């Protein structure tokens, strides 16, 4: 962990578990925090934080552009492309931009130097402010296959920031989630109190173990009944850093797009206390794993 910087990633096995609710409220409960929405296919942290837009930039990827006059149809590029993004059909090289991974390899292998690279916008990053919270939001354009380049750019931007960063990760355990937690000092896994909740928790648990990241669980929507997600934590010896009760008022504030900690002292205390427990865990992990 870099001096004066802490990155906390918030994950869940599926959408709708309360990941964004927890992320935005934690960010709002901390002085001068940075909230980063890496859920680029469906970013909705901004619907709660309602930040100003101070800066916006497009994110590009490069894709091949073919010079038909120079191409002699040798098909070396087609053979090279592992993603089947090239095909030589009716004496013409076709590029399927949607499945191209922008590796640049086809341009390198072309003996005729017939392939050059062209920029294509796949989305954008907005930078803004919401009271005490700086907000970075990544947005993937509809129909684009991979948000990884936007997440990589967000991760790069976070490296320049001091203080505490809360990263709202995409749901699940795919490569976009892996990219989002790359620099995280600590991961919070959010889980619902159901059998499905426990099975979704297991997915992200396997991921953070694979990446060797320190982590703890926040159990959301807790009732008095048996909680399979909590049972899973007990069984695996996982630290539960917080329990958020099933609470109609919190649900209503969240449903109305409000930040609970800005609406009530009770919630301000609840999320501040949760952050204190998480910060203690981060410190503990830093001491044993410097
Ligand atoms: S840049 Fe890479 S992925 Fe895209 S078409 Fe060329 S070889 Fe295939
Ligand atoms: S490697 Fe170059 S010359 Fe050969 S088919 Fe591809 S673009 Fe054409």
């Amino acid at each position: 962990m870099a001096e004066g910087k802490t990155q906390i990633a918030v994950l869940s096995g599926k959408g709708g578990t309360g990941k964004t609710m927890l992320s935005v409220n934690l960010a709002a409960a901390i002085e001068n925090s940075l909230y980063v929405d890496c859920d680029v296919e469906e970013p909705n942290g901004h619907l709660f934080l309602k930040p100003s837009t101070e800066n916006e930039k497009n994110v590009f990827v490069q894709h091949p552009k073919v010079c038909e006059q120079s191409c002699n149809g040798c098909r070396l590029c087609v053979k090279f492309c592992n993603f089947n993004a090239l095909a030589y059909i009716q004496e013409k090289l076709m590029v399927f931009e949607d499945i191209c991974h922008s590796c640049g390899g086809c341009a390198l292998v072309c003996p005729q130097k017939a392939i050059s690279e062209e920029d294509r916008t796949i989305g954008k990053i907005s930078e803004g402010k919401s009271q005490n919270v700086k907000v970075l939001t990544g947005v993937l354009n509809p129909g684009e296959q991979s948000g990884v380049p936007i997440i990589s750019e967000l991760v790069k931007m976070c490296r320049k920031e001091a203080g505490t960063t809360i990263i709202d990760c995409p749901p699940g355990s795919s490569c976009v989630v892996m990219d989002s937690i790359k620099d995280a000092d600590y991961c919070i896994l959010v889980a619902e109190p159901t059998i499905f909740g426990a099975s979704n928790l297991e997915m992200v648990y396997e991921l953070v173990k694979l990446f060797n990241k320190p982590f703890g669980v926040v159990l959301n929507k807790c009732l008095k009944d048996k909680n399979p997600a909590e049972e899973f934590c007990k069984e695996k010896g996982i630290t539960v850093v917080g329990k958020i009760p099933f609470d109609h008022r919190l649900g209503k504030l969240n449903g109305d797009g409000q930040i609970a900690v800005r609406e009530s002292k009770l919630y301000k205390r609840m999320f501040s206390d949760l952050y204190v427990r998480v910060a203690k865990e981060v410190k503990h992990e830093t001491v044993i794993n410097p």
Side-chain angles (χ1 to χ4, degrees), residues 68-90:
E68 284 177 23
Q69 285 77 37
S70 310
C71 174
N72 65 6
C74 71
R75 294 177 172 79
L76 280 178
C77 56
V78 179
K79 275 185 216 139
F80 175 84
C81 182
N82 273 334
F83 305 100
N84 299 321
L86 298 173
Y88 197 78
I89 303 165
Q90 292 177 348

Side-chain angles (χ1 to χ4, degrees), residues 7 105 109 214 224 233 247 267:
Q7 273 196 24
V109 298
K224 286 199 180 104
C233 294
D247 174 346
Y267 296 129

